[in-house]
Amino acid sequence: MSKNILVAVAWPYASGSRHLGHIGGAYLPADIFARYHRVIGNNVLMVSGSDAHGTPITVRADEEGVEPIDIVNKYHAEFLDYWEKLSISWDNYTTTMTDNHKDVVHRIFLKLLENGYIDKQKTLQAYDPVDNKFLPDRYVEGTCPKCEYKEARGDQCDGCSATLDPEELLNPVSKLSGNPAEFKETEHFFLKLSLLGKELMPWLETKTDWRPHVINWAKSFVKEGLKDRAITRDLEWGIDIPVDDLGDEKKIYVWFEAVIGYLSASIEWAKNNGNEDAWKDWWENEDAQSFYFIGKDNVPFHSVIWPAILAGYENLNLPTNVPANQYILIKGEKASASRGVGKSLSDYLSEWQPDALRYTLASVLPEQSDSELTEDEMIRRNNEELVATWGNLVQRVFTLIRNNNEAINTPSALESVDQKLLDQASEAFNDIGRKIEAVELKSALQESMRYVSKVNVYLNETEPWKVLKEDSNRGGRILYTALQAIDACANLLYPFMPTTSKKVSGAIPKDTENSWNLNEIKIGAELTEIGHLFKKFD
RNA sequence: GGCGGCGUAGCUCAGUUGGUAAGAGCGCACGACUCAUAAUCGUGAGGUCGGCAGUUCAAGUCUGCCCGCCGCUACCA
């Protein structure tokens, strides 16, 4: 009865550091979703990796006087450090530099070629005759033919925001070298989106549960009529084209191969785990589901182009859902930074507990529209919601129990207030589970915290610190019930805050081991000191 | 220009297919409690749902126009 769930997460571009917005936009929601599904017994395969190719990386390498691989290695290592510190639970986090990835890309390329979905077309391309290289549109500069703005780029003019073709520019020069640019004919492979796109609309029509901003975008993109799109470039840094009729100065363009990473990372995972065909359970099994966690800037590739590639290849599952997030806008970041540009993710990771950072980001996930987050708000949530509401609740109950250990050994029967609290926990597991499955994570977290508050209410109503003085059996039952509820809270919060939740849950002796339901607490066991779960910021 | 999104209490946001007197958290005011990292709990004030005009028995929720912010327009991925 357990399902196979592929959790595919955007491939971070290894050309620069990530920031909080990236984490909240893709990696954190993916991890919350994956952890939940594992906990309820589904087979999760969560994959991603560092995107190693593309022009920004080579440009950066040139600027720093190093090789592209040095840039990639630097940021890949940095990313691995983030994942470790943030408890992002990959099944496989790899890169696009592996032989495996190259092989898979080649297999897809050749199959699409064979199926007639890739062909060759000639185009005119800006060229630097001094450096002997072709220039991407955005690295050509010149005077805008429409507004005469002097520094218009080949793809658009920043002066009048017109969309341009580079050959329209007057006096075009290379932005990289300053040399005058020429235009030369070059031949490239194109993905025949004009053919593949036709099957996409009926498929998109079935996606009634996608987020409005995602499905609207995808449909209008297809409706406008998809154009064939070049999938090779005149580059040195990238994956070779598996056929040699264009010469070896061309490479597969990054956007085409990076999305294939989801598949190649799955295949690599299978190999590493000793069952080469295991990946098929997620990609060929019709009952498997796939969720692509990305930022809104990636919607075209995941809602249209990647499905088109998959459809052209045949027999591979198309995305079940693409729960793309909008942006988290971190305000006040600049003001709080001591060294110029603003706080880096590394700064936050060194100042914040991982779970607290996960919590504050999860509480503002931009699932519908951009959301604003200030550092004051982050601190407020940490201090009031984590320290005061949840952390304090745990401390409250643990201390009560440790000071009244004999009482909890002989609890009296359940009363209706106790039963009500436990019933509410059962409801919470159902409701919150449903929300996470629908990728309504922000709302799921809010509801989890609402249950935490109910436990505080329960304590205020039952006042065990008073009751214990007169009726230790009744007091014992209240504490026992509160402890059971706290264990439920820890389970509910586990997908969001795995480290602290495990700490709480692990400190409670139990007769059952439910990870997404209420547990029976072992009667007569002693609680160990757990310490403060969260640190308060001054 | 075209396409799309957004504009709901001071702040951050929810508001299913239009239907009981518009919601949450924070902040604010007042109160209860004292087991707990002075933490917890309760009550209350506060909104003509960007503007105007329509459709309808009924609109935050549909239509048109307008204002403001943002994104995309395909060699940024």
Side-chain angles (χ1 to χ4, degrees), chain A residues 9-44:
Chain A
V9 195
W11 289 58
Y13 213 10
S15 65
S17 299
R18 301 291 96 180
H19 53 69
L20 284 183
H22 290 125
I23 302 304
Y27 308 101
L28 176 60
D31 189 65
I32 292 165
F33 187 79
R35 284 179 184 275
Y36 165 77
H37 277 288
R38 290 194 194 102
V39 146
I40 64 166
N42 286 329
N43 305 314
V44 171

Side-chain angles (χ1 to χ4, degrees), chain A residues 515-531:
Chain A
S515 42
W516 195 256
N517 219 325
L518 275 168
N519 279 303
E520 288 304 318
I521 309 301
K522 194 183 288 293
I523 291 183
E526 290 197 12
L527 289 185
T528 50
E529 174 65 46
I530 187 172

Side-chain angles (χ1 to χ4, degrees), chain A residues 79-128:
Chain A
F79 296 168
L80 289 173
D81 186 45
Y82 298 154
W83 311 145
E84 173 74 30
K85 287 182 176 153
L86 283 163
S87 307
I88 305 295
S89 56
W90 305 108
D91 292 295
N92 189 20
Y93 184 84
T94 179
T95 79
T96 55
M97 291 189 296
T98 64
D99 287 340
N100 169 72
H101 178 65
K102 188 178 73 182
D103 292 344
V104 175
V105 169
H106 284 179
R107 204 185 312 157
I108 300 247
F109 186 101
L110 291 169
K111 183 73 177 291
L112 290 175
L113 191 63
E114 181 189 323
N115 287 353
Y117 294 124
I118 288 178
D119 68 0
K120 277 183 283 187
Q121 299 178 19
K122 288 182 177 152
T123 59
L124 213 53
Q125 182 84 34
Y127 186 77
D128 184 333

Side-chain angles (χ1 to χ4, degrees), chain A residues 128 130-131 135 174-180:
Chain A
D128 184 333
V130 180
D131 284 3
L135 299 167
S174 163
K175 190 175 177 180
L176 301 175
S177 66
N179 301 323

Side-chain angles (χ1 to χ4, degrees), chain A residues 144 146-147 149 152 155-164:
Chain A
C144 175
K146 294 173 181 163
C147 73
Y149 180 71
D155 52 349
Q156 75 166 55
C157 172
D158 289 333
C160 64
S161 72
T163 307
L164 301 173

Side-chain angles (χ1 to χ4, degrees), chain A residues 292-313:
Chain A
Y292 291 76
F293 288 85
I294 58 169
K296 64 175 166 185
D297 51 339
N298 252 322
V299 167
F301 287 89
H302 294 78
S303 65
V304 175
I305 296 179
W306 176 230
I309 294 171
L310 288 167
Y313 185 83

Side-chain angles (χ1 to χ4, degrees), chain A residues 173-338:
Chain A
V173 297
S174 163
K175 190 175 177 180
L176 301 175
S177 66
N179 301 323
E182 296 175 355
F183 289 89
K184 269 176 74 168
E185 189 170 76
T186 180
E187 190 165 28
H188 281 290
F189 283 100
F190 278 68
L191 180 66
K192 304 282 290 175
L193 286 169
S194 53
L195 296 178
L196 289 163
K198 288 179 186 131
E199 298 163 36
L200 253 30
M201 197 47 112
W203 173 71
L204 287 172
E205 295 288 354
T206 67
K207 299 301 185 183
T208 52
D209 57 345
W210 284 22
R211 292 182 181 165
H213 74 271
V214 177
I215 193 67
N216 286 343
W217 204 98
K219 282 182 179 173
S220 69
F221 190 43
V222 174
K223 209 179 289 173
E224 281 172 28
L226 298 177
K227 291 189 272 188
D228 297 345
R229 204 174 155 114
I231 57 170
T232 57
R233 302 270 85 186
D234 296 280
L235 291 172
E236 292 165 14
W237 177 243
I239 292 181
D240 293 330
I241 302 170
V243 290
D244 59 7
D245 47 354
L246 289 186
D248 60 4
E249 267 119 57
K250 296 172 199 275
K251 298 283 188 287
I252 293 179
Y253 192 40
V254 63
W255 71 259
F256 179 76
E257 51 103 347
V259 283
I260 295 173
Y262 300 118
L263 178 60
S264 62
S266 302
I267 292 172
E268 182 180 272
W269 169 84
K271 283 180 189 159
N272 292 345
N273 284 274
N275 179 358
E276 292 211 2
D277 289 329
W279 62 274
K280 292 179 180 173
D281 293 340
W282 283 269
W283 288 89
E284 294 186 351
N285 176 355
E286 285 181 5
D287 295 327
Q289 299 185 345
S290 54
F291 294 81
Y292 291 76
F293 288 85
I294 58 169
K296 64 175 166 185
D297 51 339
N298 252 322
V299 167
F301 287 89
H302 294 78
S303 65
V304 175
I305 296 179
W306 176 230
I309 294 171
L310 288 167
Y313 185 83
E314 298 169 3
N315 298 326
L316 293 177
N317 292 338
L318 271 55
T320 304
N321 200 348
V322 183
N325 278 320
Q326 311 244 16
Y327 294 144
I328 296 178
L329 308 172
I330 315 286
K331 291 207 289 190
E333 194 177 319
K334 279 181 184 159
S336 66
S338 50

